[in-house]
């Protein structure tokens, strides 16, 4: 489990320098930590490094250090991308550009610490945001870290932050918007593609990479031109990540995204040993083994089939790490422990997933692609084809699609305007009434007002990276890699208009076309999607007594965020409760478990034991 802690301070402040010295000594006293960099006003420490996977690369002339994994853009597409050893000139270029050269010329999973004597330190999180990055202030020192438990357990002099209840309310309401704020007082996140300047005793964040700006740079490629470019980019990024590992697991649902990823990692495409894993359970759409077998056979890869973890109980969710924001156990409940066990059994170093495909390849039901066409191309000869595709995508008549397109152009609502409308258990009076506060609204969205409606929704979804750490399995969890969410793929998909991405009136239409020759025809044409619905229903039924107690007598009700009467009604009629409300109940339970963990504080067991 690769993690880091860094201290940045104004080097001319004796008190801040003394505080940083004490903090650094406390980290150095931990046997598993090592100092990766020490410079003018900056100390960086790491643990869990693995060569070629996650490591510290010190820039020449003590210009800083890069943590994680960095690839050169010029190596994209090479069978074995070269290891990243920056030259003196590269380091100077990165420093002179204020980090902009890193974003333009490189990609990967990294946090960069750039020493800027005597101005201070610049911290940059890569645009994919794969590695978490948070920061807080203590005694004139900016503490930058990936895993809050390290701060709490290794630096006892720092008071544990308290819950920001307004922040938690806005997290519940606007969680997919992903601003700089967290649900803890005094704890902020560095956003993907953002730089944090620590200088003159002040901390100043600035976006160097803006998804809305990328989306405005729309390409004019036709679907026939875009498809091979999409295929080449996805394949190159997937193979680059695979080159970091000798053996890896690949979660293979049999859906389009995981099958596309596997097609990029067949036995002819990478020397890595790839073991496919399919998780299944009883219930409609919960068993996709037939599709997974087709994909594994096509790629000539071993397929391991496992039933989803029936032993998971809600008590396990209470054993969650203290993180700056609540965690969801829903996606991990049936597979987290199995991932860890299978990785040990097969000596696999990482788990690859097809996560991110919905957003990248545009699996959003609606008529937005036609509205986007009208917005960008106007009412020309191509609009009718876009409208027909949109009607097919949204599963409505052409006339209904046309009305929706025109309404979208006239009303011009923002994607976040509907935030919270799906919530049924929340007390409306507890939620913010004044719109999104600055620290909870991603700054890229403020510049995205003039994006086409569908593209704005895609950009918003791509602002929020997937979780890197498993707050339940912790160190026993294998490395998590989502190759589709690589910066080159993200940028290409942001630039491709939604009506190109959904060519043919299908979600993932362009991706299906791009990989048609690589996928079994049954998967390329597949319209259904797997579900964990029945598994989640059974899991809630098994833990219904504890679930009722947690929600009806818990912190969310006590602080007025949950409507107790609505929760009691939903919990009393579980047999007729909709699947959407089951998901909402599980989401509330995850938040309540997080709150309970914070209420136990340091009395809970160590975050690293398991």
């Amino acid at each position: 489990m690769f993690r880091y802690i860094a201290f940045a301070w104004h080097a001319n402040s004796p008190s801040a320098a003394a505080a940083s010295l004490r903090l650094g000594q406390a980290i150095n006293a931990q046997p598993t930590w090592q100092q990766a960099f020490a410079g003018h006003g900056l100390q960086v420490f790491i643990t869990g490094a693995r060569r070629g996977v996650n490591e510290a690369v010190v820039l020449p002339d003590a210009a800083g250090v890069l943590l994680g994994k960095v690839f050169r853009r010029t190596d994209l597409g090479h069978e074995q991308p070269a290891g990243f050893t920056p030259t003196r000139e590269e380091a100077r270029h990165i420093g002179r550009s204020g980090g902009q050269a890193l974003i333009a010329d490189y990609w990967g999973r990294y946090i960069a610490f750039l020493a800027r004597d005597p101005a201070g330190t610049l911290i940059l999180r890569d645009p994919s945001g794969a590695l978490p990055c948070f920061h807080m202030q203590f005694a004139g020192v900016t503490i930058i870290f990936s895993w809050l438990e390290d701060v709490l357990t290794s630096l006892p002099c720092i008071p544990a932050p308290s819950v920001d209840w307004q922040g938690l309310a806005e997290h519940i309401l606007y969680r997919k918007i992903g601003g700089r704020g967290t649900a803890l007082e005094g704890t902020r996140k560095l956003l993907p593609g953002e730089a944090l300047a620590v200088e003159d005793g002040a901390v100043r964040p600035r976006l160097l990479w803006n998804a809305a700006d990328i989306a405005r740079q729309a390409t004019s490629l036709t679907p026939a031109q875009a498809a091979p470019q999409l295929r080449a980019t996805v394949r190159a990024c997937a193979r680059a990540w695979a080159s970091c590992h000798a053996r890896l697991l690949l979660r293979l649902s049999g859906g389009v995204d995981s099958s596309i990823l596997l097609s990029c990692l067949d036995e002819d495409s990478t020397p890595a040993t790839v073991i496919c894993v399919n998780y299944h359970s009883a219930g409609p759409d919960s068993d996709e083994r037939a599709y997974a077998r087709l994909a594994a056979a096509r790629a000539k890869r071993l397929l391991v089939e496992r039933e989803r973890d029936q032993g998971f109980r809600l008590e396990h969710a209470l054993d969650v790490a203290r993180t700056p924001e609540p965690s969801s156990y829903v996606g991990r409940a049936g597979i987290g422990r199995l991932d860890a066990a299978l990785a040990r059994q097969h000596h696999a170093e990482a788990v690859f997933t097809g996560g991110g495909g919905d957003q990248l390849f545009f699996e959003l039901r609606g008529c937005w692609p036609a509205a986007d066409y009208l917005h960008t191309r106007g009412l020309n000869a191509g609009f009718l084809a876009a409208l027909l595709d949109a009607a097919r995508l949204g599963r409505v008549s052409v006339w209904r699609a046309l009305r929706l397109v025109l309404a979208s152009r006239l009303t011009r609502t923002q994607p976040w305007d509907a935030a919270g409308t799906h919530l049924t258990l929340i007390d409306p009076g507890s939620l913010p009434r004044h719109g999104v506060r600055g620290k909870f609204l991603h700054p890229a969205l403020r510049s995205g007002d003039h994006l086409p409606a569908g593209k704005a929704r895609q950009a918003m979804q791509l602002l929020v990276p997937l979780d890197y750490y498993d707050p339940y399995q912790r160190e026993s969890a294998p490395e998590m890699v989502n190759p589709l969410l690589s910066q080159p793929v993200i940028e290409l998909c942001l630039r491709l208009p939604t009506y190109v991405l959904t060519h043919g009136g299908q979600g993932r239409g362009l991706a299906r076309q791009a990989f048609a020759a690589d996928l079994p025809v049954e998967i390329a044409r597949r319209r259904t999607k797997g579900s964990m619905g029945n598994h989640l229903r059974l899991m809630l039924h098994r833990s219904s007594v504890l679930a009722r107690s947690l929600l009806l007598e818990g912190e969310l009700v006590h602080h007025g965020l949950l409507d107790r009467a609505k929760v009691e009604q939903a919990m009393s009629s579980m047999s007729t409760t909709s699947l959407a409300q089951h998901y909402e109940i599980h989401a509330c339970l995850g938040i309540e478990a997080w709150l309970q963990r914070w209420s136990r504080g340091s009395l809970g067991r160590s975050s690293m034991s398991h």
Side-chain angles (χ1 to χ4, degrees):
M1 184 175 174
F2 178 70
R3 312 187 304 281
Y4 63 88
I5 297 179
F7 309 112
W9 68 97
H10 184 33
N12 294 328
S13 168
S15 61
S20 178
L21 177 64
R22 292 193 300 272
L23 295 171
Q25 289 172 340
I27 297 298
N28 259 333
Q30 308 295 318
T32 60
W33 288 82
Q34 64 185 77
Q35 188 173 72
F37 184 83
H40 196 65
L42 176 65
Q43 293 186 87
V44 181
F45 301 86
I46 61 172
T47 185
R50 294 214 318 271
R51 183 171 178 80
V53 178
N54 278 315
E55 55 191 335
V57 177
V58 178
L59 298 176
D61 300 327
V65 62
L66 308 182
L67 306 183
K69 180 64 182 179
V70 181
F71 301 101
R72 286 185 174 87
R73 295 249 191 182
T74 52
D75 288 342
L76 198 62
H78 291 190
E79 285 196 18
Q80 286 292 109
F84 180 64
T85 304
T87 65
R88 180 168 280 104
E89 182 53 39
E90 284 179 312
R92 288 173 181 166
H93 183 43
I94 290 169
R96 286 195 299 264
S97 70
Q100 198 72 57
L102 263 177
I103 291 173
D105 300 334
Y106 309 89
W107 65 280
R109 174 186 60 227
Y110 63 82
I111 304 292
F113 292 87
L114 305 179
R116 304 197 297 174
D117 293 342
T121 299
L122 190 75
I123 302 102
L124 172 62
R125 186 181 180 190
D126 90 82
S128 76
L131 274 179
C133 187
F134 301 95
H135 57 97
M136 59 172 59
Q137 299 297 311
F138 176 75
V141 178
T142 300
I143 304 173
I144 307 100
F145 57 92
S146 59
W147 183 244
L148 181 55
E149 288 278 13
D150 289 327
V151 177
L152 299 174
T153 57
S154 301
L155 303 173
C157 61
I158 298 177
S162 57
V163 173
D164 178 351
W165 289 97
Q166 175 71 10
L168 181 61
E170 300 212 29
H171 170 83
I172 293 170
L173 188 59
Y174 302 112
R175 65 181 65 185
K176 292 298 183 183
I177 294 178
R180 296 183 178 115
T182 72
L184 295 178
E185 297 280 2
T187 305
R188 309 272 280 181
K189 69 168 75 82
L190 188 64
L191 300 172
E194 188 170 56
L196 185 73
V198 181
E199 51 195 7
D200 301 326
V203 176
R204 301 179 183 88
R206 182 169 66 93
L207 274 185
L208 300 186
W209 183 93
N210 187 323
D213 290 345
I214 300 292
R216 271 190 286 270
Q217 302 166 17
T219 72
S220 58
L221 297 175
T222 66
Q225 295 167 329
Q229 187 171 337
L230 179 62
R231 180 180 182 273
T233 305
V234 170
R235 283 182 61 83
C237 290
R239 292 167 69 179
W241 286 118
S243 73
C244 303
H245 303 279
R247 299 175 66 84
L248 61 94
L249 299 180
L250 190 153
R251 286 188 197 156
L252 180 63
S253 68
V256 174
D257 299 330
S258 61
S259 299
I260 283 176
L261 178 59
L262 177 58
S263 76
C264 300
L265 302 178
D266 62 21
E267 67 174 10
D268 297 325
S269 300
T270 175
T273 299
V274 179
I275 301 104
C276 302
V277 183
N278 175 267
Y279 295 112
H280 60 91
S281 53
D285 301 324
S286 298
D287 188 343
E288 304 175 88
R289 282 177 289 180
Y291 291 108
R293 289 166 185 166
L294 289 172
R298 180 66 170 264
K300 300 177 183 177
R301 292 298 191 184
L302 172 67
L303 175 64
V304 177
E305 298 174 359
R306 289 288 185 272
E307 186 177 10
R308 290 191 177 96
D309 187 359
Q310 300 300 310
F312 185 90
R313 296 294 184 271
L314 192 53
E315 289 86 344
H316 300 147
L318 293 172
D319 186 25
V320 62
R322 291 169 294 178
T323 53
E325 295 174 310
S327 301
S328 172
Y329 59 80
V330 168
R332 303 181 177 96
I335 61 178
R337 295 191 298 184
L338 297 176
D339 270 350
L342 284 168
R344 289 192 299 270
Q345 177 185 339
H346 292 277
H347 307 287
E349 303 165 344
V351 172
F352 281 39
T353 87
D358 280 4
Q359 307 94 293
L360 289 163
F361 303 144
F362 209 84
E363 185 64 51
L364 299 176
R365 296 293 176 192
C367 299
W368 293 307
D372 287 9
Y373 188 98
L374 189 62
H375 182 278
T376 57
R377 304 286 297 276
L379 194 60
N380 62 17
F383 175 68
L384 179 58
L387 183 64
L388 291 172
D389 279 355
R392 185 181 177 195
L393 180 69
R395 298 177 183 175
V396 296
S397 70
V398 175
W399 296 113
R400 172 68 175 161
L402 180 59
R403 287 196 296 272
L404 291 171
V405 167
L406 295 176
S408 174
R409 291 288 293 141
L410 292 173
T411 57
R412 195 64 188 118
T413 59
Q414 298 300 334
W416 55 89
D417 290 340
T421 56
H422 65 289
L423 299 173
T424 64
L425 306 177
I426 302 297
D427 178 6
S430 68
L431 297 177
R433 290 291 184 183
H434 50 73
V436 189
R437 289 193 335 202
K439 69 177 183 177
F440 292 97
L441 174 66
H442 196 295
L445 296 179
R446 299 173 198 152
S447 62
D449 291 354
H450 302 296
L451 284 175
K455 186 54 70 173
R457 281 161 175 79
Q458 183 195 29
M460 185 179 77
Q461 291 190 346
L462 287 171
L463 292 174
V464 184
L466 300 182
D467 289 341
Y468 183 67
Y469 299 127
D470 184 333
Y472 303 97
Q473 298 303 311
R474 301 170 172 87
E475 285 195 321
S476 67
E479 185 89 20
M480 186 60 60
V481 184
N482 302 296
L484 298 183
L485 288 171
S486 298
Q487 183 184 345
V489 182
I490 294 172
E491 290 176 345
L492 175 59
C493 290
L494 281 171
R495 291 187 176 110
L496 289 170
T498 58
Y499 50 85
V500 173
L501 289 168
T502 57
H503 178 64
Q506 279 189 296
R508 299 176 172 85
L510 185 70
R512 294 173 194 270
Q513 177 181 336
F515 288 91
D518 304 297
L519 301 178
V521 65
E522 295 90 342
I523 294 175
R525 295 178 180 175
R526 187 179 176 189
R527 299 291 291 253
T528 59
K529 189 174 177 67
S531 167
M532 288 180 58
N534 193 61
H535 181 73
L536 294 175
R537 289 181 190 272
L538 291 174
M539 189 167 64
L540 194 56
H541 176 74
R542 288 193 299 264
S543 302
S544 59
V545 174
L546 179 57
R548 286 179 62 89
S549 173
L550 281 173
L551 292 186
L552 296 178
E553 310 300 332
E555 296 290 328
L556 287 171
V557 164
H558 178 71
H559 284 83
L561 291 176
L562 268 187
D563 188 315
R564 193 180 194 281
K566 291 179 180 178
V567 173
E568 189 157 24
Q569 181 181 3
M571 296 295 292
S572 300
S573 56
M574 294 302 298
S575 60
T576 58
T577 300
S578 69
L579 180 57
Q581 200 164 57
H582 270 81
Y583 273 101
E584 186 179 356
I585 291 171
H586 281 294
C588 291
L589 285 167
I591 296 171
E592 186 63 45
W594 179 83
L595 288 167
Q596 298 276 337
R597 182 69 180 89
W598 274 104
S599 70
R600 297 197 303 275
S602 59
L603 298 178
R605 68 170 177 76
S606 168
S607 68
M608 291 297 109
S609 62
H610 195 72

